[in-house]
Amino acid sequence: MGVMSTVSSGQHTRPMCYLLLLMILQLGLHTAEGVWPLPQTLISSTERFHLSPQAFYFGYGRQSAAQQGCSVLDAAFKRYFALIFPDYTSGRWNLFSDKNESKILLQICLFSVDHNDCDGYPNESSSERCKHKRLESFSQLVYQDDFGSYFVNKTDIKDFPRFQFRGILLDTSRHYLPVQAILKTLDAMAYSKFNVFHWHIVDDPSFPYQSRTFPDLSSKGAFHPMTHIYTQSDVRRVISHARMRGIRVLPEFDSPGHTKSWGKGQPDLLTPCYKGGIPSGTFGPINPALPSTYHFMATLFKEVSVVFPDSYIHLGGDEVDFSCWKSNPYVRAFMQKMGFGSDFTKLEAFYMENIVNITSALNKTSIVWQDVFDYHERVSTPQQITHINYEVRSTYYAELSRMTKAGMRVVLAAPWYINHISYGQDWHNYYTVQPLNFSGTEEQKKLVIGGEVCMWGEYVDATNLTPRLWPRASAAAERLWSDEKQTSNVDMAFPRLQDFRCKLVRRGIQAEPLYVGHCKQEYQGI
Amino acid sequence: MGVMSTVSSGQHTRPMCYLLLLMILQLGLHTAEGVWPLPQTLISSTERFHLSPQAFYFGYGRQSAAQQGCSVLDAAFKRYFALIFPDYTSGRWNLFSDKNESKILLQICLFSVDHNDCDGYPNESSSERCKHKRLESFSQLVYQDDFGSYFVNKTDIKDFPRFQFRGILLDTSRHYLPVQAILKTLDAMAYSKFNVFHWHIVDDPSFPYQSRTFPDLSSKGAFHPMTHIYTQSDVRRVISHARMRGIRVLPEFDSPGHTKSWGKGQPDLLTPCYKGGIPSGTFGPINPALPSTYHFMATLFKEVSVVFPDSYIHLGGDEVDFSCWKSNPYVRAFMQKMGFGSDFTKLEAFYMENIVNITSALNKTSIVWQDVFDYHERVSTPQQITHINYEVRSTYYAELSRMTKAGMRVVLAAPWYINHISYGQDWHNYYTVQPLNFSGTEEQKKLVIGGEVCMWGEYVDATNLTPRLWPRASAAAERLWSDEKQTSNVDMAFPRLQDFRCKLVRRGIQAEPLYVGHCKQEYQGI
């Protein structure tokens, strides 16, 4: 067999970056298999190509704007070669099996590439029609026959994501997750085409982020100052690993609530609570009445905005308990001075606006949890704020309607709180979500920029993260990537997801089973 | 420090085998720690001994009936040395840290040992006052200070299990579990003092047991005839690994229902179902109307009784669907001939009695699921049958009452179907079970010989078995081992269980967290 080159038909050519691969899907025995998440169109034929790992290689098409030296693609070629031919790279390949094969070249064409596609960080405007997400689809189409030979059927795929924001939240405060666990999650995210890692890095229980400016935050606020922290180098490693996989890293420094651990390393940051007219010794949310608070936050976010290159920063703003603020006479006096009366939502809004102004000045887009929207309805709202809805499923349609009507961009998280486990095939619940099925105009629906799977950490650490996340999160991944009409049936999706789960296991991801059955290669990492 | 020898005070001496260890529990900082499951009595002092891994060794007391050459104990000494001093055995120990230590000998005394304690298999009459379960308690009492030195406080422990049968069921039919996953489970079982591995080895979906007599059962009935089977050597390895840890292996060959996979390799075993007067092509439970059935079962169980040395065999007998039997004219004719009329429970009872007679003739005690009891009330019941109750929690007290009233020995499984996961700290449910809290005489209560944690395999394979099982099963372990009055409070148990869970993680068991927090050594096996 000769060179397998890319073909560009008129029908497929687009002015913007576009990619065509010659791909394969075996019919018959392999119909249950395929690509997860489902491409927008996938036309397969019975014509199949024998792929020899000895002779196969990836290359850049002549017409491609990207060429060798494009670091993200060069690395992806290498990674995907090993994923496609695991027998070969592990040294178990029989050299005699395909000595007669001639070279096969799979060409990648990027017709338009901007600087970021090769050497920068993925961002909200990155075109996902291109790049290595196509390598993922291709890798899923390659299969082995009973003798171990690799094949791919001629397949024509047109693909792009339905939503631009497809995130996974990990919580590294309630339990510390070793860097290796995060990197493994990023690997698996790429396999399901997630593109945002929402890093809920600090919270009440611990502050593992080792700040350059305020080292006491982690040395006093982490579970352990040496073993349970993320150093600057750890963070760089996570961001770099994510970048190579087309994944943005969105850091969250949640305030003014959820900050108990911050208080250990930063005196006078938290509000002292009062009881019977005197300080009780306990502390509440961040103290919004002190100028020093805003100075500290500005300094911290200045550092964060440099360390994390993404254009978004998540500011939290959820679940603020007002009782401690109410108990504190200095906070109450501040309220009077500011004319807030006894409306603590105004104080919360005042605080959040200050923080949003800080991050705006750093040229970052702020994301906050939905709570903040409720307060901000009454005050001026910077347009760049994107809310994440975390209400229960029964009400989130109403919330989406209300928030998009107010012009807010929204990321939907409510139906994908995947830490809430239950017995049985609960992936159905994540799969059958209809993110745009709320009452609103077309303009409103465009404001839903995507969705996010949240793995809160109360009951999750490195021991159980992976099997709880995968393949349950992959169900949400298809909802966010694929055409809803083509993927509305759970029974149709089941065998393809089951097959995809076995692919994850084969790739070393400890993804749990969906139901009774087996994989050709069971998990061996025990 | 000199020789740490065992001390036998008059108060503790008993005519039967008895063991005393000089043990340690640090007070103060370490009060949350301790032994899981809780010993019957544990008296600790602040007097502490420095243990040097360079100088520490286990030995047999001079008065001990067991001496060097007792294979089970010799191996346990070696194993527990590594568990107690992981830094030392991994080569990370600083030789300078305790060069001045003199030898410390921890003597094990077995005042009475029968043949089985050293070289045989554990059985239902094995005295668990002795042997290496004490090593487990001792290993949990050793702790390290902040400089890595090992200590143990002087501790006096009297211990024995509340129930003699403390089992875990694994299901290797709905998903295949690699041998390594089973061995790892046996390790963790020993840490929680479980002593019965109930191996639900075959069922509808697959028949992984490779029979010597009927090799087609696995070559046609397993998920894969080579990669998804248990060879004779695999089974021996499991039994041997269990024996060294004081664990019995109770095999279950469930029939006449749950046998779909059997039919693939054994023609004419299953009942052909009829539709509209002709065979429909589908098959039901084992055919109880053919003499060949009983010949086959006798031959199979003859093999099983040799391969599995335990005195118990589990015969299943649960969830038999009568519809296929009803549809089959030959089965109906057999019913008439036997005078069963149209009462299919009589047919089921007839079948089970035949199987029980087969295993009785092989000198094995039969265990069956509770269903069988319902049928056997009407027919003769061999006294050796032990039932396992698998009803829902709301009714199991009534079932226990009814079954023990009929003189049946019972193993309680109903409240410990641990495959049923739910969000949050569901170990509370497993911990607060009161197995004897049913209405009945003292004689009836003695018939409850223990309990069993069931991990059915619909949603479980090697990817998620360990974090689903541990430490949730450990909650049941304490209920079955410890005094109920001393262990009735979940809040008191929580820090000790949390500490025990960290010990499991330290020992390489992927045990999931109970709640927010951390372990000194987090799980590294990612």
Short mmCIF file of all heavy atoms in Angstrom, two decimals, chain A residues 174-175 223 228 419-420 423 458-459 461 463-464 468 501 510-519 522 526, chain B residues 174-175 228 419-420 423-424 458-459 461-464 468 501 510-517 519 522:
data_model
loop_
_atom_site.label_atom_id
_atom_site.label_comp_id
_atom_site.label_asym_id
_atom_site.label_seq_id
_atom_site.Cartn_x
_atom_site.Cartn_y
_atom_site.Cartn_z
N ARG A 174 -10.24 19.52 49.66
CA ARG A 174 -10.87 18.56 50.62
C ARG A 174 -10.03 17.30 50.73
O ARG A 174 -9.97 16.66 51.77
CB ARG A 174 -12.30 18.27 50.18
CG ARG A 174 -13.18 19.49 50.40
CD ARG A 174 -14.61 19.30 49.95
NE ARG A 174 -15.38 20.50 50.27
CZ ARG A 174 -15.43 21.59 49.51
NH1 ARG A 174 -14.76 21.64 48.37
NH2 ARG A 174 -16.12 22.65 49.89
N HIS A 175 -9.42 16.90 49.62
CA HIS A 175 -8.34 15.94 49.65
C HIS A 175 -7.25 16.43 48.71
O HIS A 175 -7.55 16.98 47.65
CB HIS A 175 -8.79 14.54 49.22
CG HIS A 175 -9.62 13.83 50.24
ND1 HIS A 175 -10.98 13.83 50.22
CD2 HIS A 175 -9.25 13.13 51.35
CE1 HIS A 175 -11.44 13.14 51.27
NE2 HIS A 175 -10.41 12.70 51.96
N PHE A 223 -2.42 20.66 54.26
CA PHE A 223 -2.46 19.52 55.18
C PHE A 223 -1.06 19.23 55.71
O PHE A 223 -0.87 18.85 56.85
CB PHE A 223 -3.01 18.27 54.48
CG PHE A 223 -4.50 18.30 54.28
CD1 PHE A 223 -5.07 17.97 53.04
CD2 PHE A 223 -5.36 18.62 55.32
CE1 PHE A 223 -6.44 17.97 52.86
CE2 PHE A 223 -6.75 18.62 55.15
CZ PHE A 223 -7.28 18.30 53.91
N HIS A 228 1.99 17.91 50.93
CA HIS A 228 0.63 18.12 50.45
C HIS A 228 0.47 19.52 49.85
O HIS A 228 -0.48 20.24 50.15
CB HIS A 228 -0.38 17.90 51.59
CG HIS A 228 -0.56 16.46 51.95
ND1 HIS A 228 0.45 15.71 52.52
CD2 HIS A 228 -1.62 15.62 51.82
CE1 HIS A 228 0.01 14.47 52.73
NE2 HIS A 228 -1.24 14.38 52.31
N ASN A 419 -19.62 13.71 41.62
CA ASN A 419 -19.25 13.14 42.91
C ASN A 419 -20.44 12.48 43.60
O ASN A 419 -20.27 11.62 44.44
CB ASN A 419 -18.64 14.22 43.82
CG ASN A 419 -19.54 15.43 43.98
OD1 ASN A 419 -19.96 16.01 42.98
ND2 ASN A 419 -19.83 15.83 45.20
N HIS A 420 -21.66 12.87 43.21
CA HIS A 420 -22.85 12.24 43.78
C HIS A 420 -23.08 10.89 43.12
O HIS A 420 -23.72 10.80 42.07
CB HIS A 420 -24.08 13.13 43.58
CG HIS A 420 -24.05 14.34 44.45
ND1 HIS A 420 -24.20 15.61 43.95
CD2 HIS A 420 -23.84 14.49 45.77
CE1 HIS A 420 -24.10 16.48 44.93
NE2 HIS A 420 -23.89 15.82 46.05
N TYR A 423 -26.26 3.83 42.84
CA TYR A 423 -26.10 2.47 42.33
C TYR A 423 -26.65 2.36 40.92
O TYR A 423 -27.70 2.91 40.62
CB TYR A 423 -26.83 1.49 43.26
CG TYR A 423 -26.58 0.04 42.89
CD1 TYR A 423 -25.31 -0.49 42.97
CD2 TYR A 423 -27.63 -0.77 42.44
CE1 TYR A 423 -25.06 -1.81 42.62
CE2 TYR A 423 -27.40 -2.08 42.10
CZ TYR A 423 -26.11 -2.61 42.18
OH TYR A 423 -25.88 -3.91 41.83
N GLU A 458 -15.14 15.76 48.82
CA GLU A 458 -15.43 15.25 50.18
C GLU A 458 -15.04 13.78 50.32
O GLU A 458 -14.52 13.36 51.36
CB GLU A 458 -16.92 15.40 50.51
CG GLU A 458 -17.35 16.79 50.93
CD GLU A 458 -17.69 17.67 49.74
OE1 GLU A 458 -17.39 17.28 48.59
OE2 GLU A 458 -18.23 18.77 49.96
N TYR A 459 -15.36 12.98 49.31
CA TYR A 459 -15.18 11.53 49.42
C TYR A 459 -14.23 10.98 48.37
O TYR A 459 -14.27 9.80 48.05
CB TYR A 459 -16.54 10.83 49.32
CG TYR A 459 -17.52 11.32 50.36
CD1 TYR A 459 -18.51 12.23 50.04
CD2 TYR A 459 -17.42 10.89 51.68
CE1 TYR A 459 -19.39 12.71 51.00
CE2 TYR A 459 -18.29 11.35 52.65
CZ TYR A 459 -19.28 12.26 52.30
OH TYR A 459 -20.13 12.73 53.26
N ASP A 461 -10.25 10.93 46.70
CA ASP A 461 -8.83 11.27 46.59
C ASP A 461 -8.21 10.37 45.53
O ASP A 461 -8.93 9.78 44.71
CB ASP A 461 -8.12 11.22 47.95
CG ASP A 461 -7.94 9.80 48.47
OD1 ASP A 461 -8.29 8.84 47.75
OD2 ASP A 461 -7.45 9.66 49.60
N THR A 463 -7.17 7.52 45.55
CA THR A 463 -7.53 6.10 45.57
C THR A 463 -8.75 5.79 44.72
O THR A 463 -8.89 4.68 44.20
CB THR A 463 -7.84 5.60 47.00
OG1 THR A 463 -8.95 6.33 47.52
CG2 THR A 463 -6.63 5.76 47.91
N ASN A 464 -9.68 6.74 44.60
CA ASN A 464 -10.92 6.43 43.90
C ASN A 464 -11.32 7.45 42.83
O ASN A 464 -12.36 7.28 42.18
CB ASN A 464 -12.07 6.25 44.90
CG ASN A 464 -12.32 7.49 45.76
OD1 ASN A 464 -11.54 8.43 45.72
ND2 ASN A 464 -13.38 7.47 46.53
N ARG A 468 -14.24 6.74 39.68
CA ARG A 468 -15.48 7.50 39.83
C ARG A 468 -15.71 8.46 38.67
O ARG A 468 -16.84 8.81 38.35
CB ARG A 468 -15.44 8.34 41.12
CG ARG A 468 -15.70 7.49 42.32
CD ARG A 468 -16.19 8.28 43.50
NE ARG A 468 -16.34 7.31 44.59
CZ ARG A 468 -16.95 7.54 45.73
NH1 ARG A 468 -17.47 8.71 45.97
NH2 ARG A 468 -17.04 6.59 46.64
N ARG A 501 -14.85 2.67 26.92
CA ARG A 501 -14.34 2.40 28.27
C ARG A 501 -13.22 1.35 28.22
O ARG A 501 -12.21 1.48 28.93
CB ARG A 501 -15.50 1.92 29.15
CG ARG A 501 -15.10 1.58 30.57
CD ARG A 501 -15.05 0.07 30.78
NE ARG A 501 -14.34 -0.25 32.00
CZ ARG A 501 -14.14 -1.48 32.44
NH1 ARG A 501 -14.62 -2.51 31.79
NH2 ARG A 501 -13.44 -1.70 33.51
N GLN A 510 -7.94 3.77 34.80
CA GLN A 510 -8.69 2.83 35.64
C GLN A 510 -10.19 3.16 35.59
O GLN A 510 -10.80 3.51 36.59
CB GLN A 510 -8.15 2.98 37.07
CG GLN A 510 -8.37 1.81 37.97
CD GLN A 510 -7.66 2.00 39.31
OE1 GLN A 510 -6.74 2.81 39.44
NE2 GLN A 510 -8.10 1.26 40.31
N ALA A 511 -10.77 3.04 34.39
CA ALA A 511 -12.18 3.40 34.18
C ALA A 511 -13.06 2.21 34.55
O ALA A 511 -12.83 1.09 34.10
CB ALA A 511 -12.41 3.79 32.73
N GLU A 512 -14.09 2.48 35.37
CA GLU A 512 -14.90 1.38 35.90
C GLU A 512 -15.86 0.85 34.84
O GLU A 512 -16.14 1.51 33.84
CB GLU A 512 -15.65 1.82 37.15
CG GLU A 512 -16.72 2.86 36.92
CD GLU A 512 -17.43 3.26 38.21
OE1 GLU A 512 -16.88 3.05 39.29
OE2 GLU A 512 -18.54 3.81 38.10
N PRO A 513 -16.37 -0.37 35.05
CA PRO A 513 -17.28 -0.96 34.06
C PRO A 513 -18.66 -0.31 34.11
O PRO A 513 -19.07 0.21 35.14
CB PRO A 513 -17.36 -2.43 34.47
CG PRO A 513 -17.04 -2.44 35.93
CD PRO A 513 -16.10 -1.31 36.17
N LEU A 514 -19.36 -0.34 32.98
CA LEU A 514 -20.71 0.19 32.90
C LEU A 514 -21.73 -0.85 33.32
O LEU A 514 -22.78 -0.53 33.89
CB LEU A 514 -21.02 0.63 31.46
CG LEU A 514 -20.22 1.81 30.95
CD1 LEU A 514 -20.33 1.92 29.44
CD2 LEU A 514 -20.72 3.09 31.61
N TYR A 515 -21.45 -2.10 33.00
CA TYR A 515 -22.35 -3.19 33.36
C TYR A 515 -21.61 -4.50 33.15
O TYR A 515 -20.43 -4.51 32.78
CB TYR A 515 -23.64 -3.10 32.51
CG TYR A 515 -24.76 -3.95 33.04
CD1 TYR A 515 -25.20 -3.80 34.35
CD2 TYR A 515 -25.36 -4.94 32.25
CE1 TYR A 515 -26.20 -4.60 34.86
CE2 TYR A 515 -26.37 -5.74 32.75
CZ TYR A 515 -26.78 -5.57 34.06
OH TYR A 515 -27.77 -6.37 34.56
N VAL A 516 -22.30 -5.61 33.38
CA VAL A 516 -21.75 -6.95 33.20
C VAL A 516 -21.01 -7.08 31.86
O VAL A 516 -21.51 -6.60 30.84
CB VAL A 516 -22.90 -7.98 33.24
CG1 VAL A 516 -22.41 -9.38 32.90
CG2 VAL A 516 -23.57 -7.97 34.62
N GLY A 517 -19.86 -7.72 31.87
CA GLY A 517 -19.15 -7.93 30.62
C GLY A 517 -17.65 -7.99 30.84
O GLY A 517 -17.19 -8.21 31.96
N HIS A 518 -16.92 -7.79 29.77
CA HIS A 518 -15.47 -7.86 29.90
C HIS A 518 -14.80 -7.04 28.82
O HIS A 518 -15.44 -6.66 27.83
CB HIS A 518 -14.99 -9.31 29.82
CG HIS A 518 -14.97 -9.87 28.42
ND1 HIS A 518 -16.12 -10.11 27.70
CD2 HIS A 518 -13.95 -10.21 27.61
CE1 HIS A 518 -15.80 -10.58 26.51
NE2 HIS A 518 -14.50 -10.65 26.42
N CYS A 519 -13.53 -6.74 29.02
CA CYS A 519 -12.69 -6.13 28.00
C CYS A 519 -11.66 -7.17 27.57
O CYS A 519 -11.22 -7.98 28.39
CB CYS A 519 -11.94 -4.92 28.55
SG CYS A 519 -13.00 -3.56 29.05
N GLU A 522 -8.11 -6.64 30.30
CA GLU A 522 -8.61 -6.12 31.56
C GLU A 522 -7.56 -5.25 32.22
O GLU A 522 -6.38 -5.30 31.88
CB GLU A 522 -8.98 -7.28 32.50
CG GLU A 522 -10.08 -8.20 31.99
CD GLU A 522 -11.47 -7.57 31.97
OE1 GLU A 522 -11.62 -6.42 32.44
OE2 GLU A 522 -12.40 -8.22 31.47
N ILE A 526 -3.07 -3.61 39.21
CA ILE A 526 -3.41 -3.89 40.61
C ILE A 526 -2.14 -4.13 41.45
O ILE A 526 -1.30 -4.90 41.07
CB ILE A 526 -4.33 -5.12 40.72
CG1 ILE A 526 -5.56 -4.89 39.88
CG2 ILE A 526 -4.70 -5.38 42.16
CD1 ILE A 526 -6.16 -6.16 39.35
N ARG B 174 -19.81 -12.06 36.71
CA ARG B 174 -20.34 -10.87 36.02
C ARG B 174 -19.20 -10.02 35.46
O ARG B 174 -19.34 -9.37 34.42
CB ARG B 174 -21.24 -10.08 36.97
CG ARG B 174 -22.54 -10.84 37.22
CD ARG B 174 -23.46 -10.15 38.21
NE ARG B 174 -24.68 -10.93 38.33
CZ ARG B 174 -24.83 -11.99 39.12
NH1 ARG B 174 -23.82 -12.39 39.87
NH2 ARG B 174 -25.97 -12.64 39.15
N HIS B 175 -18.10 -10.00 36.18
CA HIS B 175 -16.83 -9.52 35.63
C HIS B 175 -15.74 -10.48 36.08
O HIS B 175 -15.77 -10.97 37.22
CB HIS B 175 -16.49 -8.10 36.09
CG HIS B 175 -17.32 -7.05 35.43
ND1 HIS B 175 -18.45 -6.53 36.01
CD2 HIS B 175 -17.19 -6.44 34.23
CE1 HIS B 175 -18.98 -5.64 35.19
NE2 HIS B 175 -18.24 -5.55 34.10
N HIS B 228 -9.59 -15.20 30.42
CA HIS B 228 -10.60 -14.92 31.44
C HIS B 228 -11.02 -16.20 32.17
O HIS B 228 -12.21 -16.48 32.33
CB HIS B 228 -11.81 -14.22 30.80
CG HIS B 228 -11.54 -12.79 30.41
ND1 HIS B 228 -10.65 -12.45 29.43
CD2 HIS B 228 -12.02 -11.62 30.90
CE1 HIS B 228 -10.62 -11.13 29.31
NE2 HIS B 228 -11.43 -10.60 30.18
N ASN B 419 -22.06 -3.81 47.33
CA ASN B 419 -22.05 -3.32 45.95
C ASN B 419 -23.06 -2.19 45.76
O ASN B 419 -22.93 -1.39 44.84
CB ASN B 419 -22.35 -4.45 44.96
CG ASN B 419 -23.60 -5.23 45.30
OD1 ASN B 419 -23.76 -5.68 46.43
ND2 ASN B 419 -24.50 -5.37 44.34
N HIS B 420 -24.06 -2.12 46.65
CA HIS B 420 -25.03 -1.02 46.56
C HIS B 420 -24.43 0.25 47.13
O HIS B 420 -24.50 0.49 48.34
CB HIS B 420 -26.31 -1.38 47.31
CG HIS B 420 -27.11 -2.43 46.62
ND1 HIS B 420 -27.54 -3.58 47.24
CD2 HIS B 420 -27.55 -2.53 45.34
CE1 HIS B 420 -28.21 -4.34 46.37
NE2 HIS B 420 -28.22 -3.72 45.20
N TYR B 423 -24.22 7.93 48.09
CA TYR B 423 -23.36 9.07 48.36
C TYR B 423 -23.20 9.28 49.86
O TYR B 423 -24.16 9.16 50.60
CB TYR B 423 -23.95 10.32 47.71
CG TYR B 423 -23.05 11.53 47.83
CD1 TYR B 423 -21.82 11.55 47.20
CD2 TYR B 423 -23.41 12.63 48.59
CE1 TYR B 423 -20.97 12.64 47.32
CE2 TYR B 423 -22.59 13.73 48.71
CZ TYR B 423 -21.36 13.73 48.07
OH TYR B 423 -20.54 14.82 48.19
N GLY B 424 -22.00 9.58 50.29
CA GLY B 424 -21.78 9.94 51.69
C GLY B 424 -21.21 8.80 52.52
O GLY B 424 -20.69 7.83 51.97
N GLU B 458 -22.07 -6.80 39.15
CA GLU B 458 -22.66 -6.11 37.99
C GLU B 458 -21.84 -4.89 37.57
O GLU B 458 -21.67 -4.62 36.37
CB GLU B 458 -24.10 -5.64 38.30
CG GLU B 458 -25.16 -6.70 38.20
CD GLU B 458 -25.31 -7.49 39.49
OE1 GLU B 458 -24.43 -7.35 40.39
OE2 GLU B 458 -26.27 -8.27 39.61
N TYR B 459 -21.38 -4.12 38.54
CA TYR B 459 -20.72 -2.85 38.24
C TYR B 459 -19.30 -2.81 38.78
O TYR B 459 -18.75 -1.73 39.00
CB TYR B 459 -21.54 -1.69 38.84
CG TYR B 459 -22.95 -1.67 38.33
CD1 TYR B 459 -24.01 -2.16 39.08
CD2 TYR B 459 -23.23 -1.21 37.05
CE1 TYR B 459 -25.31 -2.17 38.61
CE2 TYR B 459 -24.53 -1.20 36.55
CZ TYR B 459 -25.56 -1.69 37.34
OH TYR B 459 -26.84 -1.70 36.84
N ASP B 461 -15.28 -4.44 38.66
CA ASP B 461 -14.20 -5.31 38.22
C ASP B 461 -12.90 -4.82 38.85
O ASP B 461 -12.94 -4.07 39.84
CB ASP B 461 -14.15 -5.43 36.69
CG ASP B 461 -13.67 -4.16 36.02
OD1 ASP B 461 -13.30 -3.18 36.73
OD2 ASP B 461 -13.64 -4.12 34.78
N ALA B 462 -11.78 -5.23 38.28
CA ALA B 462 -10.51 -4.89 38.92
C ALA B 462 -10.26 -3.38 38.98
O ALA B 462 -9.46 -2.92 39.79
CB ALA B 462 -9.35 -5.57 38.17
N THR B 463 -10.96 -2.60 38.16
CA THR B 463 -10.71 -1.15 38.17
C THR B 463 -11.25 -0.47 39.42
O THR B 463 -10.73 0.56 39.83
CB THR B 463 -11.35 -0.46 36.94
OG1 THR B 463 -12.77 -0.66 36.99
CG2 THR B 463 -10.79 -0.99 35.65
N ASN B 464 -12.35 -1.00 39.97
CA ASN B 464 -12.97 -0.28 41.10
C ASN B 464 -13.25 -1.16 42.32
O ASN B 464 -13.79 -0.68 43.32
CB ASN B 464 -14.26 0.41 40.65
CG ASN B 464 -15.29 -0.56 40.07
OD1 ASN B 464 -15.00 -1.74 39.89
ND2 ASN B 464 -16.47 -0.07 39.78
N ARG B 468 -14.10 0.34 46.32
CA ARG B 468 -15.49 0.13 46.75
C ARG B 468 -15.58 -0.75 47.97
O ARG B 468 -16.52 -0.66 48.76
CB ARG B 468 -16.31 -0.53 45.63
CG ARG B 468 -16.67 0.44 44.57
CD ARG B 468 -17.88 0.02 43.77
NE ARG B 468 -18.06 1.07 42.77
CZ ARG B 468 -19.12 1.20 42.00
NH1 ARG B 468 -20.11 0.34 42.07
NH2 ARG B 468 -19.20 2.18 41.14
N ARG B 501 -7.85 3.23 57.82
CA ARG B 501 -7.87 3.40 56.35
C ARG B 501 -6.52 3.93 55.85
O ARG B 501 -6.02 3.48 54.81
CB ARG B 501 -9.01 4.35 55.98
CG ARG B 501 -9.14 4.63 54.50
CD ARG B 501 -8.59 6.01 54.17
NE ARG B 501 -8.36 6.14 52.74
CZ ARG B 501 -7.90 7.23 52.16
NH1 ARG B 501 -7.67 8.31 52.87
NH2 ARG B 501 -7.66 7.25 50.88
N GLN B 510 -5.76 0.22 47.92
CA GLN B 510 -6.36 1.44 47.38
C GLN B 510 -7.70 1.71 48.07
O GLN B 510 -8.76 1.72 47.43
CB GLN B 510 -6.56 1.21 45.87
CG GLN B 510 -6.66 2.45 45.03
CD GLN B 510 -6.68 2.12 43.55
OE1 GLN B 510 -6.25 1.04 43.12
NE2 GLN B 510 -7.18 3.04 42.74
N ALA B 511 -7.66 1.94 49.39
CA ALA B 511 -8.87 2.15 50.18
C ALA B 511 -9.30 3.60 50.10
O ALA B 511 -8.50 4.51 50.31
CB ALA B 511 -8.62 1.75 51.63
N GLU B 512 -10.58 3.83 49.80
CA GLU B 512 -11.04 5.20 49.56
C GLU B 512 -11.20 5.98 50.86
O GLU B 512 -11.29 5.39 51.94
CB GLU B 512 -12.34 5.18 48.76
CG GLU B 512 -13.55 4.65 49.51
CD GLU B 512 -14.82 4.65 48.66
OE1 GLU B 512 -14.73 4.74 47.43
OE2 GLU B 512 -15.90 4.55 49.26
N PRO B 513 -11.25 7.31 50.77
CA PRO B 513 -11.36 8.10 51.99
C PRO B 513 -12.77 8.05 52.57
O PRO B 513 -13.74 7.83 51.85
CB PRO B 513 -11.03 9.52 51.52
CG PRO B 513 -11.35 9.56 50.07
CD PRO B 513 -11.10 8.16 49.56
N LEU B 514 -12.88 8.25 53.88
CA LEU B 514 -14.18 8.28 54.54
C LEU B 514 -14.80 9.67 54.49
O LEU B 514 -16.01 9.81 54.41
CB LEU B 514 -14.03 7.88 56.01
CG LEU B 514 -13.61 6.43 56.25
CD1 LEU B 514 -13.12 6.25 57.67
CD2 LEU B 514 -14.77 5.50 55.96
N TYR B 515 -13.93 10.68 54.56
CA TYR B 515 -14.41 12.05 54.51
C TYR B 515 -13.20 12.96 54.30
O TYR B 515 -12.08 12.48 54.17
CB TYR B 515 -15.19 12.40 55.80
CG TYR B 515 -16.00 13.66 55.70
CD1 TYR B 515 -16.94 13.80 54.68
CD2 TYR B 515 -15.80 14.72 56.58
CE1 TYR B 515 -17.67 14.98 54.56
CE2 TYR B 515 -16.53 15.89 56.46
CZ TYR B 515 -17.47 16.02 55.45
OH TYR B 515 -18.17 17.19 55.32
N VAL B 516 -13.44 14.26 54.28
CA VAL B 516 -12.40 15.26 54.09
C VAL B 516 -11.19 14.98 54.99
O VAL B 516 -11.38 14.65 56.16
CB VAL B 516 -12.97 16.66 54.43
CG1 VAL B 516 -11.88 17.72 54.41
CG2 VAL B 516 -14.09 17.02 53.47
N GLY B 517 -10.00 15.13 54.47
CA GLY B 517 -8.81 14.94 55.29
C GLY B 517 -7.65 14.43 54.48
O GLY B 517 -7.65 14.53 53.25
N CYS B 519 -3.98 11.53 54.56
CA CYS B 519 -3.09 10.56 55.20
C CYS B 519 -1.67 11.08 55.07
O CYS B 519 -1.34 11.73 54.08
CB CYS B 519 -3.18 9.20 54.51
SG CYS B 519 -4.79 8.42 54.59
N GLU B 522 -0.04 9.47 51.21
CA GLU B 522 -1.18 9.29 50.30
C GLU B 522 -0.91 8.13 49.35
O GLU B 522 0.23 7.70 49.18
CB GLU B 522 -1.42 10.58 49.49
CG GLU B 522 -1.77 11.80 50.32
CD GLU B 522 -3.15 11.74 50.97
OE1 GLU B 522 -3.91 10.78 50.71
OE2 GLU B 522 -3.47 12.66 51.75
#
